[in-house]
Amino acid sequence: MGREGSGWAAPAAPSGTQLPPPVEDKMVWRADILVLIAGLAISAGTAENLKKFPVLMPHVKPERAETYFCTPIRIDPSQEYYVTAFQPNATRETAHHMLLYGCETPGSKEEVWNCGEMALAQPGIDSAPVCKTGSQVIYAWALDAPRLVLPEGVAFRVGGKSSIQYMVLQVHYASVEKFKDGSTDDSGVFLYYTEEPQPKSAGVLLLGTGGRINPNSVEYMETACTINENKVIHPFAFRTHTHALGRVVSGYKVTRQGFNVRWQLIGKKDPQLPQMFYPVAEDMVIRKGDTVAARCTMESKRDRITRIGSTNEDEMCNFYIMYWTDGKILNRKNCFSLGPPFYYWSRDNLRNIPDKDASSLAVGTSAVEQGIAPHQI
């Protein structure tokens, strides 16, 4: 249940690394938390000493549609690990989407808990947030997206003295039809990592909105934040996420030089396509004083208001920026606005807004043109 296969033949997202056939790590149980320990080394003939570790749901059985389950992994605090690739172990028929969080401390020490803020909780299972402290997204998956391999020399630093002492897998089960026959689920992700320090640190900045979409309307859900930290980041991949109403999600770097405002596209996509991390539109550097901005163009043919929320009946507007830096990653992990009708770019002193570009796609690149129906009704 929930397996997409363990092969690595699918087309990769941004990649500078060839993956050798890895050897799977062992897992032990300690204090109700799974602990990552050193695995078996790859043969000396491979280019990298990569190891493989599974972060999977422990054969859960969701009983209610719109269930969000979380399960934690504790990372060895005496050793730093460098995660360089992610292989999903899920299908869209089972899991609506998955998020892998890095936490200082998890929301619960239970093996599994309910972790959807506005979703239904399954009776008999505790409810808690994903992380208690230090929450940051390090990987996201939906719509049968393939594996992700980070550029050469780039890795997420976890364990040891890093800010990520636990990883928590969150899986959203929009439907439970597949479990009515008693089946269970082990959806999740395989991590590929090394103990050899990597020169560049990876991070993710999540842009999103609150707000609502009126009946039978087109709405722009927008957010923007200025980088106030004295750090230089290099975006290399982006990911979009909405539910059924999303038509285009776009992200930009905005640079102000006096009265001149330049919008540089980070990336844009139809969110009804596989929601993987895609290469950025062009190489760029984001520094202190630059602004990052995102827009979700939503089209509703419903006769009701649709609000931002976590269930199948709600919407989401998310734009993920995955980046690398030579030093420490940004302290800021999120950039959220109130969304419509309270926030728009035009009310944030932003000029030269690329209205047409931000809400349009090149001919032939939309899901509809490729014969793909919206993934939710």
Side-chain angles (χ1 to χ4, degrees), residues 115-170:
C115 55
E117 292 182 3
M118 293 176 282
L120 294 174
Q122 184 161 311
I125 299 179
D126 287 350
S127 296
V130 177
C131 299
K132 185 176 181 180
T133 59
S135 175
Q136 57 183 293
V137 174
I138 62 173
Y139 176 71
W141 172 95
L143 292 181
D144 289 341
R147 58 156 173 142
L148 171 67
V149 183
L150 305 187
E152 185 174 0
V154 177
F156 286 94
R157 188 165 62 97
V158 303
K161 296 182 180 180
S162 77
S163 61
I164 299 177
Q165 295 297 304
Y166 294 80
M167 281 182 282
V168 175
L169 172 69
Q170 181 191 63

Side-chain angles (χ1 to χ4, degrees), residues 8 12-19 84-86 147-151 236:
W8 285 77
S15 170
T17 303
Q18 295 297 318
L19 290 172
T84 62
F86 304 85
R147 58 156 173 142
L148 171 67
V149 183
L150 305 187
F236 64 88

Side-chain angles (χ1 to χ4, degrees), residues 317-337:
C317 171
N318 294 148
F319 185 87
Y320 296 79
I321 302 172
M322 188 174 285
Y323 64 87
W324 65 264
T325 180
D326 287 315
K328 293 183 178 181
I329 64 172
L330 295 173
N331 293 321
R332 183 169 199 163
K333 314 301 182 191
N334 303 303
C335 167
F336 275 80
S337 76

Side-chain angles (χ1 to χ4, degrees), residues 184-260:
T184 60
D185 182 55
D186 66 346
S187 292
V189 60
F190 291 97
L191 307 180
Y192 286 76
Y193 72 95
T194 177
E195 295 173 20
E196 180 180 349
Q198 300 297 295
K200 301 170 184 176
S201 298
V204 174
L205 179 61
L206 169 59
L207 285 69
T209 80
R212 65 176 185 245
I213 305 159
N214 288 325
N216 300 298
S217 69
V218 173
E219 184 61 88
Y220 297 154
M221 312 193 87
E222 299 172 337
T223 186
C225 295
T226 299
I227 303 300
N228 293 317
E229 300 176 46
N230 192 24
K231 297 174 181 177
V232 177
I233 66 171
H234 303 256
F236 64 88
F238 73 96
R239 175 183 182 264
T240 67
H241 179 69
T242 71
H243 293 172
L245 304 187
R247 296 296 174 262
V248 184
V249 181
S250 54
Y252 294 85
K253 167 191 171 182
V254 186
T255 306
R256 294 180 174 94
Q257 296 178 332
F259 288 101
N260 296 320

Side-chain angles (χ1 to χ4, degrees), residues 58-86:
H59 293 281
V60 297
K61 184 184 177 184
E63 298 174 355
R64 294 183 174 184
E66 307 300 347
T67 292
Y68 282 71
F69 278 159
C70 281
T71 189
I73 296 292
R74 183 183 180 187
I75 308 168
D76 184 355
S78 67
Q79 171 70 50
E80 287 192 354
Y81 301 94
Y82 301 86
V83 179
T84 62
F86 304 85

